[in-house]
Structures are given as structure tokens and as C-alpha cells.
Amino acid sequence: MKLIVAIVRPERANEVLEALFMAEVRGLTVSRVQGHGGETERVETYRGTTVKMELQDKVRFEIGVSDHFVEPTVRAILDSARTGDVGDGKIFVLPVERVYRIRTGETDQMAVTPGWPEEESR
Ligand SMILES: Nc1ncnc2c1ncn2[C@@H]1O[C@H](COP(=O)(O)OP(=O)(O)OP(=O)(O)O)[C@@H](O)[C@H]1O
Ligand SMILES: [Mg+2]
């Protein structure tokens, strides 16, 4: 299992959500974050040149997936989040040691993918 963390432009977030849905990704967490991607703005001060770190608004996706889902998930994000300009964001793929579904106590593969519980309609 892996945790895919993607930082994308807020204006691409809806496209990313749509692409993830099309890739059959269901369980995810989205947050508004601020970040810095390495671009620096030089600011002159009376003591010399300093560098200003400007924070930019970004959207962070966290998606826990089985290993065979990593490639299609990453592909969906790459294709939907890219504009080609600097600041398009990043994707990190992290190893996941254990997943628990709290409702059932299921773990790992059984817990990572949202199921379609048959009892739900009862
Ligand atoms: N190494 C990093 N660690 C954590 N977050 C990062 C890292 N690099 C970028 N980010 C996050 O991704 C956002 C967008 O980064 P950005 O796309 O500018 O990366 P970049 O490496 O500068 O690529 P580009 O050259 O396309 O701008 C940042 O605002 C920050 O939130
Ligand atoms: Mg950058």
C-alpha cells in the first residue's frame, strides 16, 4: 500500500478530482495548504540582499491505494494537474505500513479501498 500525496494548483483541483473519479479512485482527503516551490524573490535591504519566501495557495490530495492502483492514480494526477508552467506542484508516493477501517476493524488491503457494503440498504 502507498499514500499518494499530491500538491496541486487550486485552479486545477476540480479537474484532478474528476480525473481521480474516472480512474476509479474513491477514498481521498483534500486540504487547502500553503507552500513554497523553490522560487525566490530577492529583496534589497540596507544590509545587503536577502531572499523572501512567498507562500502560495495549493491544494493537497492524500490518497491511500493498493500497489496496483499507484500508477493509474499518479497518471490521472499528472494529466489533470499539469499546465506546463512553473508551480504545477508535486506528487510524493509514500510507503504505508498499516491501514485500519475503523467501522469494521478491517486492515490493509481490505481497509484501504472503500467497499460497497451489501448491508447498507437494509
Ligand atoms: N520538496 C518539497 N517538499 C514539500 N512540498 C513541496 C516540495 N516542492 C514543492 N512542494 C509543494 O508543491 C508546491 C508547488 O511546487 P512547485 O510546483 O513550484 O515545485 P517546483 O519543484 O518548484 O517545480 P516547478 O519548477 O514546476 O515550479 C509548493 O508550493 C509546495 O507546497
Ligand atoms: Mg516551483
Side-chain angles (χ1 to χ4, degrees), residues 24-96:
E24 291 176 23
V25 170
R26 294 298 180 264
L28 54 82
T29 302
V30 182
S31 345
R32 292 165 191 269
V33 295
Q34 292 198 312
H36 188 261
E39 296 79 9
T40 52
E41 187 188 326
R42 288 184 190 287
V43 181
E44 301 299 327
T45 69
Y46 74 100
R47 283 172 182 275
T49 304
T50 57
V51 162
K52 194 167 126 196
M53 288 262 272
E54 287 250 312
L55 293 175
Q56 263 134 26
D57 290 340
K58 298 288 170 185
V59 171
R60 173 187 168 112
F61 286 81
E62 293 167 78
I63 309 156
V65 294
S66 310
D67 286 349
H68 72 274
F69 247 85
V70 172
E71 202 273 323
T73 303
V74 167
R75 175 57 47 201
I77 298 167
L78 285 174
D79 291 346
S80 57
R82 184 186 294 120
T83 69
D85 295 331
V86 296
D88 272 354
K90 276 210 178 131
I91 303 174
F92 302 91
V93 180
L94 290 70
V96 168

